[in-house]
Amino acid sequence: MNVSVYLILASVLFVIGAVTVLVRRNSIVVFMGVELMLNAANLTFLAFSRMWGDFDGQLAAFFVMVVAAAEVVVGLAIIVSLFRTRRTVSVDDENLLRG
Amino acid sequence: MIDNVVFAAAAETAGHSLAAELTWLVIAIPLASAGLLLVVGRAADRWGHLLGVAAPAGAFAVGAWAFVDLLSRPAADRVQDIDLFEWISGSSLNLSFGLRVDQLSLAFVLLVTFVGGLIHVYSVAYMALDADRRRFFAYLNLFVAAMVLLVLANSYVLLFVGWEGVGLASYLLIGFWNQRLEYAVAAKKAFVANRVGDVGLIVAMMIMFSQFHTLSFDGVFAAAEHASAATLTLIGLALLLAACGKSAQFPLQSWLGDAMAGPTPVSALIHAATMVTAGVYLVVRSGPIFEQAPAARLAVVVVGAVTLLYGAIVGCAKDDMKKALAASTMSQIGYMMLAAGLGPVGGVFAIMHLLTHGFFKAGMFLGAGSVMHAMRDQVDMRRFGGLDKFMKITWLTFMMGWLAILGVPPFAGFFSKDKIIEQAFVAPDGQLWQGWVFGLVALFGAGLTAFYMSRLFFMVFYGKARWTDGQHPHESPALMTVPMAVLALGSVLLGLILTLVGFDDYLAPALVEGHHGEPVLGAPIIMGATLALVVVGALIAWTRFGSAKANVPVLPPAADGLIRAARADLYQDTVNHALFVRPGQVLVAQAAKADDDVVDGAVRGLAWLVQGVGGLVARVQNGYARSYAATMLAGVILLAAIVLAGRL
């Protein structure tokens, strides 16, 4: 199979993720968009790893997954604590740091 | 010329006496007193004047001790340089804080502390009702300290410190009653005019430093022997400018009349007896420089001659008693300048006249203060008259001063002023015209002096009483009359004493050696002509202002050109205003406008720009996480585009 198919799929996934981050207000959905973008990047790593026949790309993908798992823990904890204190998960309401 | 200079280097080898080593106390005592009175403040109000009087008395005691000690030394060994401590040490200039104790400086120290002490005593009574008497005494002490520092310094830099110190004290004391605007303005005027002169002293020091690499008297005078005439002439002219500012000589004389705004003891001490003579001291002290710069010396003589006539003419027309005395001071210092410019022989008589003038003019100023005290601060002489019966002591002491300034033998002025007139007739280097011109000017000045001083004396003490209503003239308290009496005694005897003890022989070793020249007229003829002119001047004044028939109008009568001009100080203020003040004000206004428009405009414009840009950029910081994310995404896409574009 041609590598470009994987790349196109990754691009589509990334764009869907980015658009999700930009247009949705719900923090959890935004979070899912971020995960989608990370996995689009992972797919690209794997596709090129397969194409070149070495494991560096797969290694990078594992790194991303581990980091993403850790990030999910922290990010969800923040969202939960925000929800507890402010009774909302809308990103547009979290504007206390406005300049 | 080396042989001519007798700046006894012998003092270097000889040991200094204890009295000379302790001369610094003459400066330190009044300075400490001034500092104490100013720092302690109101708490010292009750005893401040006592300390203020004690300080010059103590300084006088130390000065007298040093003087007696000086007399006990051989004449060739009387110049002592006392180095107190290392003051300025640098690679190109090393200067110690040193005092020069010699015949000239000690004569000044005695004059300043003795006359100053008497005036301090007088001030105790004169300022008794002033709430700020303690501050007044603090300033007076400050003045005494600065003045003795000026005359004791052994380098131009240290002299400059004293020079500025007396200028500061003069400013503070002229404006002592600065709650009145015109007094504050007068103080400022004196300060500014003095600064103009100070520039001259600074320039002179710059030239000395660049040419001789030293600023001590010894070093400069030694280097002057080998310097070019052009350099010395430049230095001499710069020093003359300095002397003109401090001594109220033409063309910087306009401040002295206004300086009479200060309390009368100040006018007596600073603006008659001591500070205004500092210029004469500077010229005499710088003798080795002037000795080799004939052009600068001629300039000194011309300035002196012009000022002596100028002051005399103004003095003839003034109705304000203190301003008439100020004009007279100007004129008498003109005599001293003229004499100082005539060379070392004249310099001796300049200093002698300075000493006698210090006594009789201070005495007359104190007399004027006594009259003002009795007449509720009236100063218009047209409002006096017939005071001789009411103020016997003031009248008698004033009469001694009057006779002394007229130069009537055997009063003090006769011995000093007559010698100056005689010296003015001496033609230097065969320049006959100089002898005639300056001699006749000095002679004519003596006649004018007799007229205006007699006018003043007669208008105040003789004739019909022309007082304003409710005046009850009375004699002043003993604290005021005793100092006046002592000064009057000096006015009578000082000239005779100085002549008898051989003042010129005493002072000469401290100056450059000079040559006695023959005047173009015989000395008896000059003396006779002077006395005749004096008598004529006094008689004219008597018929017009003194005799029983004389009718002195209470308001100044209408007058023609010269008198009107003299009443207005010969339009000096107008000229200064048009030439310097107005252009200066325009320049300052333009500079202020430029500062406002250009410099401030640039700053304001920058602030406006930053604010505007900041306002625009601040809109991006809207607090919406999604908009930040969009910005980031756009940035990443932009970066990626740039990287890709670079690859293509």
Side-chain angles (χ1 to χ4, degrees):
Chain A
M1 246 208 279
N2 198 334
V3 74
S4 59
V5 180
Y6 294 99
L7 292 184
I8 290 167
L9 176 61
S11 306
V12 170
L13 281 177
F14 187 88
V15 170
I16 292 171
V19 171
T20 308
V21 169
L22 291 183
V23 302
R24 297 301 297 264
R25 293 202 182 85
N26 190 320
S27 311
I28 297 177
V29 180
V30 168
F31 216 64
M32 286 160 63
V34 172
E35 293 302 317
L36 215 49
M37 286 194 288
L38 285 170
N39 283 313
N42 275 349
L43 188 55
T44 323
F45 273 126
L46 294 177
F48 281 113
S49 168
R50 174 108 180 148
M51 183 182 126
W52 296 112
D54 68 1
F55 294 97
D56 285 357
Q58 296 188 24
L59 209 58
F62 274 116
F63 260 112
V64 171
M65 284 161 74
V66 172
V67 171
E71 175 234 319
V72 164
V73 173
V74 176
L76 284 178
I78 291 172
I79 290 170
V80 169
S81 93
L82 274 175
F83 180 74
R84 280 184 181 162
T85 54
R86 306 185 52 131
R87 289 282 138 197
T88 174
V89 289
S90 165
V91 285
D92 283 1
D93 292 338
E94 322 295 357
N95 54 4
L96 284 180
L97 294 180
R98 184 174 52 199
Chain B
M1 288 307 286
I2 297 172
D3 306 345
N4 278 351
V5 184
V6 211
F7 283 95
E12 288 299 307
T13 51
H16 301 142
S17 56
L18 181 64
E21 296 274 8
L22 290 180
T23 318
W24 60 272
L25 281 172
V26 179
I27 305 164
I29 292 173
L31 190 63
S33 164
L36 192 69
L37 290 178
L38 286 176
V39 169
V40 174
R42 289 271 173 221
D45 271 355
R46 270 191 318 116
W47 46 268
H49 55 283
L50 299 177
L51 181 66
V53 172
F60 175 72
V62 177
W65 180 32
F67 181 68
V68 171
D69 178 73
L70 180 94
L71 291 181
S72 71
R73 298 170 77 89
D77 196 18
R78 285 181 177 170
V79 180
Q80 299 184 77
D81 273 313
I82 313 289
D83 285 341
L84 293 176
F85 56 84
E86 193 72 15
W87 187 27
I88 299 170
S89 56
S91 54
S92 53
L93 178 67
N94 282 296
L95 207 59
S96 67
F97 192 98
L99 306 181
R100 163 158 296 195
V101 181
D102 69 355
Q103 295 93 326
L104 181 59
S105 62
L106 279 188
F108 260 91
V109 165
L110 291 184
L111 172 76
V112 172
T113 53
F114 184 74
V115 175
L118 287 176
I119 291 171
H120 277 70
V121 173
Y122 177 95
S123 306
V124 172
Y126 190 83
M127 302 294 285
L129 298 178
D130 198 299
D132 286 323
R133 182 167 64 168
R134 169 197 49 84
R135 190 161 57 88
F136 181 76
F137 274 94
Y139 292 162
L140 274 190
N141 283 346
L142 176 68
F143 168 76
V144 171
M147 188 71 203
V148 288
L149 176 64
L150 193 165
V151 294
L152 280 171
N154 79 342
S155 65
Y156 280 100
V157 183
L158 194 55
L159 179 146
F160 189 66
V161 175
W163 188 269
E164 291 302 300
V166 292
L168 169 68
S170 160
Y171 166 77
L172 291 171
L173 285 165
I174 295 171
F176 187 73
W177 289 318
N178 58 11
Q179 59 270 33
R180 289 186 57 178
L181 180 65
E182 68 263 36
Y183 290 3
V185 170
K188 205 157 71 179
K189 184 174 173 186
F191 201 73
V192 170
N194 268 288
R195 292 291 80 69
V196 176
D198 294 345
V199 171
L201 192 48
I202 292 172
V203 168
M205 286 197 285
M206 286 173 176
I207 303 174
M208 286 172 200
F209 182 64
S210 75
Q211 297 296 313
F212 308 150
H213 308 291
T214 176
L215 288 168
S216 70
F217 287 160
D218 268 341
V220 169
F221 297 157
E225 287 167 28
H226 315 293
S228 69
T231 310
L232 293 174
T233 305
L234 265 181
I235 296 176
L237 289 178
L239 289 175
L240 174 63
L241 178 65
C244 282
K246 196 57 93 192
S247 290
Q249 297 294 291
F250 185 83
L252 294 177
Q253 83 290 17
S254 64
W255 63 272
L256 189 62
D258 291 317
M260 295 301 123
T264 309
V266 172
S267 311
L269 178 60
I270 301 184
H271 305 118
T274 54
M275 184 192 85
V276 286
T277 57
V280 181
Y281 169 80
L282 184 69
V283 172
V284 173
R285 179 58 94 190
S286 307
I289 293 170
F290 283 100
E291 189 57 21
Q292 296 185 68
R297 228 166 54 216
L298 183 64
V300 174
V301 176
V302 169
V303 164
V306 169
T307 313
L308 90 84
L309 279 186
Y310 197 112
I313 292 170
V314 171
C316 289
K318 284 286 175 192
D319 288 330
D320 181 321
M321 177 172 48
K322 286 183 72 181
K323 290 196 171 168
L325 283 172
S328 154
T329 303
M330 209 188 282
S331 166
Q332 294 300 310
I333 295 171
Y335 270 110
M336 298 173 209
M337 278 299 218
L338 186 141
L342 289 174
V345 179
V348 172
F349 296 121
I351 300 299
M352 188 165 155
H353 192 53
L354 195 157
L355 296 177
T356 57
H357 175 258
F359 275 79
F360 62 68
K361 185 55 67 60
M364 282 193 283
F365 260 113
L366 295 190
S370 175
V371 170
M372 284 164 65
H373 198 70
M375 300 292 277
R376 297 183 183 174
D377 285 339
Q378 175 68 268
V379 288
D380 188 354
M381 297 192 292
R382 296 184 180 278
R383 285 302 191 170
F384 294 144
L387 285 175
D388 55 341
K389 294 175 219 53
F390 297 90
M391 313 179 68
K392 285 249 185 299
I393 303 175
T394 306
W395 167 59
L396 279 174
T397 54
F398 205 100
M399 182 190 284
M400 298 305 124
W402 169 64
L403 289 170
I405 195 173
L406 255 56
V408 176
F411 292 88
F414 168 74
F415 293 97
S416 50
K417 198 163 76 175
D418 209 64
K419 286 286 184 193
I420 291 180
I421 297 173
E422 194 184 312
Q423 278 299 315
F425 270 106
V426 173
D429 314 321
Q431 302 275 341
L432 271 184
W433 67 270
Q434 284 189 24
W436 281 110
V437 169
F438 298 130
L440 288 176
V441 164
L443 190 63
F444 184 58
L448 277 180
T449 307
F451 172 73
Y452 72 76
M453 284 314 297
S454 306
R455 170 177 179 270
L456 192 161
F457 183 62
F458 296 148
M459 275 174 98
V460 173
F461 291 103
Y462 293 91
K464 288 188 273 289
R466 304 176 297 273
W467 312 335
T468 46
D469 295 335
Q471 295 279 23
H472 302 287
H474 54 88
E475 187 53 276
S476 301
L479 269 178
M480 287 166 69
T481 51
V482 169
M484 283 154 56
V486 176
L487 289 173
L489 200 65
S491 313
V492 180
L493 294 176
L494 190 65
L496 187 65
I497 293 172
L498 287 179
T499 308
L500 285 182
V501 299
F503 184 71
D504 42 353
D505 291 337
Y506 158 79
L507 193 61
L511 306 177
V512 184
E513 199 174 295
H515 312 281
H516 284 266
E518 279 305 307
V520 291
L521 275 174
I525 304 176
I526 298 173
M527 198 182 290
T530 311
L531 284 178
L533 268 177
V534 165
V535 170
V536 169
L539 277 181
I540 296 175
W542 174 255
T543 52
R544 293 189 57 183
F545 303 105
S547 71
K549 281 174 287 177
N551 182 29
V552 181
V554 171
L555 288 174
D560 55 355
L562 184 60
I563 298 178
R564 267 217 311 278
R567 279 178 189 161
D569 294 327
L570 298 184
Y571 302 122
Q572 172 75 18
D573 283 339
T574 320
V575 171
N576 280 354
H577 208 78
L579 275 185
F580 302 110
V581 178
R582 192 87 42 75
Q585 280 171 338
V586 169
L587 190 70
V588 168
Q590 290 303 319
K593 197 169 147 51
D595 179 56
D596 223 36
D597 291 355
V598 180
V599 180
D600 287 6
V603 173
R604 271 196 300 269
L606 195 65
W608 175 83
L609 190 73
V610 168
Q611 218 167 24
V613 172
L616 283 179
V617 176
R619 283 189 201 165
V620 181
Q621 301 282 330
N622 52 13
Y624 290 112
R626 294 185 300 139
S627 116
Y628 298 160
T631 312
M632 262 163 71
L633 188 67
V636 168
I637 290 170
L638 190 68
L639 280 177
I642 290 169
V643 170
L644 286 179
R647 285 285 174 80
L648 290 179

